[in-house]
Amino acid sequence: MLVTGNEILQKAHKEYYGVGAFNFVNYEMLSSIFEAANEANSPIIVQASEGAIKYMGIDIAVGMVKILSQKYPHIPVALHLDHGTTFESCKAAVDAGFTSVMIDASHHPFEENLEETLRVVKMAHDKGVSVEAELGRLMGIEDNISVSEKDAVLVNPKEAEQFVKETKVDYLAPAIGTSHGAFKFKGEPKLDFERLQEVKKLTNIPLVLHGASAIPDYVRDSFLSTGGDLKGSKGVPFEFLKESIKGGINKVNTDTDLRIAFIAEVRKVANNDNTQFDLRKFFTPGKEAIKRLIVERMNLLGSSNKI
Ligand code: PH4
Ligand code: ZN
């Protein structure tokens, strides 16, 4: 059943577990996410970025989610706009049937981010749609980073408190040292869990971890073994994901893991049979790999059997 993001995340916030927010760019990814949720008996957030929406077409994206949520009526699913960059983009998503939107004005100065978020919250709440915003910048933190450099990049907990109070945003993505993609950390992985706990204490709302892909060894290995190159890639270690949930993260954004798992299988088929051109022979194992990875992730985050 299609529900608001808040409906899924308020429960996760109260019971201290994480819900995967999985990105999709086509039917294969989307249906694998639903199949995993069905197997694990877990709520899901399915999310599309502006780039993904441009690729699929907004009506097709919403249509696919609606049809799949009718096929699996027992699964609570929220359809979320990931990294909406403007008010107009958020409004287009709300008008098209998204049940949750992110306004990402985090690259603007604090006051501007607050104003833009407030505008989106008013528009979205009017239509019963939940809103996510972000504070700080998504980037890895090195061991030798100074306190002032860290403060310039990561979320400021006091600002987070004021931001949530004034905007009434439903959930917040605090930058604590993660980044998008396959190369998250140069040295040892490092996240600022103390800062996270402080933000949770001062805001008391669901929190979001962007850049949460783990790149499990077996997924990296299967990509490498097919001749792919991911030298130096590093994801968020499983223990860090668990620690984040303890610190108050409830929405766990995951895209890179799905991409790598899928493409590794496609590469395998291509390598094994260079005469193959039946799309189904490539995509069926790709979908299976995404599904397996998501079921495992749901178990780790604690959302399995939470329906
Ligand atoms: N995201 C995914 C962003 C995808 O423009 P685009 O479609 O490439 O954007 O918001 C995440 O936080 C995913 O993090 P990950 O890279 O660790 O999976
Ligand atoms: Zn993100």
Side-chain angles (χ1 to χ4, degrees), residues 23 47 49 82-83 179-181 184 210-213 253-257 259:
N23 288 74
Q47 55 185 16
S49 66
D82 191 21
H83 292 283
S179 61
H180 289 147
K184 298 185 188 298
H210 280 254
S213 276
N253 282 17
T254 312
D255 184 6
T256 297
D257 276 343
R259 297 182 186 194

Side-chain angles (χ1 to χ4, degrees), residues 17 26 38 63 146 173 175 258 305:
Y17 61 87
N26 61 15
N38 187 41
S146 71
L258 315 190
N305 299 315

Side-chain angles (χ1 to χ4, degrees), residues 20-23 29 32-33 35-37 39-40 212-220 222 238 241 252-265 285-301 303-304:
F22 301 104
N23 288 74
M29 292 181 91
S32 312
I33 302 167
E35 284 171 26
E39 192 168 311
S213 276
I215 319 187
D217 288 343
Y218 81 90
V219 174
R220 182 191 294 100
S222 91
F238 287 152
L241 287 178
V252 184
N253 282 17
T254 312
D255 184 6
T256 297
D257 276 343
L258 315 190
R259 297 182 186 194
I260 298 175
F262 188 90
I263 294 300
E265 295 306 315
K287 281 184 60 181
E288 251 330 289
I290 289 186
K291 183 176 144 190
R292 194 169 59 233
L293 185 139
I294 293 182
V295 169
E296 281 169 15
R297 196 60 47 89
M298 288 166 164
N299 292 336
L300 183 96
L301 303 179
S303 70
S304 297

Side-chain angles (χ1 to χ4, degrees), residues 16 161 195-204 207 247:
Y16 265 80
E161 181 182 25
R195 207 175 277 257
L196 171 63
Q197 282 163 11
E198 191 64 11
V199 172
K200 189 72 170 186
K201 198 174 82 194
L202 294 175
T203 62
N204 194 28
L207 299 179

